[in-house]
């Protein structure tokens, strides 16, 4: 078989085209890209999930300068009754300031003394629908009869509440 220059070029062209098709699929094994990220923080009242005192609950829900609310039911002479169950139906309002629809809210009490507390008003929080601007409220019940330390608050008493809003 006699090869001429044209057949050799066609053969080489086919090999290059075949190799290019095998290697040129657009797939990649690694990409590194640097981008700018801008994040701003806001106090609880102005965040995407706003937490504020319900009207009339300002004596129990503080909004200090750092912007993170604190529930303070009082102490000393202004505390809850010993050997009693005390319920505060509405303390905190949760408002959806974001653009995503909130589909459930989880409220979890943890820490020292959490066993005497129960969240009140969260009966439908696992199946709710909160569009932008919608709000729900919750409160707390303090049980010093069944769960109390001889009818009093446990010592130490330093519970926290974690609020988790879930979106679609």
């Amino acid at each position: 078989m006699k090869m001429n220059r044209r057949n050799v070029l066609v053969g080489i062209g086919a090999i290059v085209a075949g190799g290019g098709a095998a290697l040129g699929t657009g797939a990649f094994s690694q990409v590194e890209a640097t981008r700018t990220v801008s994040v701003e923080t806001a106090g609880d009242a102005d965040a995407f999930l706003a937490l504020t005192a319900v009207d009339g609950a300002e004596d129990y829900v503080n909004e200090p300068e750092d912007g993170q609310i604190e529930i303070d039911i009082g102490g000393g002479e202004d505390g809850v009754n010993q050997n009693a169950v005390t319920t505060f139906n509405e303390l905190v309002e949760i408002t959806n300031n974001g653009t995503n629809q909130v589909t459930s809210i989880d409220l979890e009490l943890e820490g020292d003394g959490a066993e005497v507390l129960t969240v009140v008003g969260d009966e439908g929080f696992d199946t709710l629908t909160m569009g932008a601007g919608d709000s729900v409220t919750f409160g707390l019940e303090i049980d010093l009869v069944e769960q109390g330390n001889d009818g009093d608050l446990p010592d130490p008493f330093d519970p926290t509440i974690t609020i988790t809003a879930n979106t679609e």
Side-chain angles (χ1 to χ4, degrees):
M1 174 176 189
K2 183 177 174 186
M3 299 268 292
N4 62 28
R5 183 173 176 200
R6 185 170 167 177
N7 288 343
V8 171
L9 289 176
V10 170
I12 291 174
I15 291 171
V16 170
L23 298 175
T25 62
F28 57 87
S29 60
Q30 181 178 356
V31 172
E32 182 176 324
T34 303
R35 301 292 186 266
T36 301
V37 176
S38 177
V39 177
E40 305 257 341
T41 61
D44 283 345
D46 298 315
F48 290 130
L49 189 69
L51 306 172
T52 56
V54 172
D55 287 340
E58 294 86 359
D59 291 342
Y60 308 113
V61 181
N62 302 320
E63 297 181 37
E65 289 183 22
D66 69 3
Q68 295 181 2
I69 67 166
E70 297 173 350
I71 300 173
D72 185 0
I73 306 292
E77 296 175 21
D78 296 329
V80 297
N81 294 60
Q82 294 176 319
N83 289 309
V85 177
T86 306
T87 304
F88 297 86
N89 285 320
E90 293 186 332
L91 292 172
V92 176
E93 181 175 62
I94 303 171
T95 303
N96 180 4
N97 284 338
T99 57
N100 291 343
Q101 181 171 296
V102 174
T103 55
S104 68
I105 295 177
D106 300 318
L107 298 125
E108 184 177 345
L109 294 160
E110 300 176 301
D112 296 326
E115 66 273 7
V116 302
L117 299 174
T118 304
V119 175
V120 177
D122 68 342
E123 290 80 19
F125 283 9
D126 59 346
T127 59
L128 58 79
T129 301
M130 283 178 58
D134 290 344
S135 299
V136 294
T137 62
F138 74 89
L140 291 175
E141 182 174 273
I142 303 143
D143 182 350
L144 300 179
V145 174
E146 297 292 324
Q147 301 295 326
N149 180 23
D150 294 324
D152 206 346
L153 290 171
D155 186 23
F157 184 74
D158 191 26
T160 59
I161 186 167
T162 301
I163 302 168
T164 305
N166 303 297
T167 63
E168 294 180 308

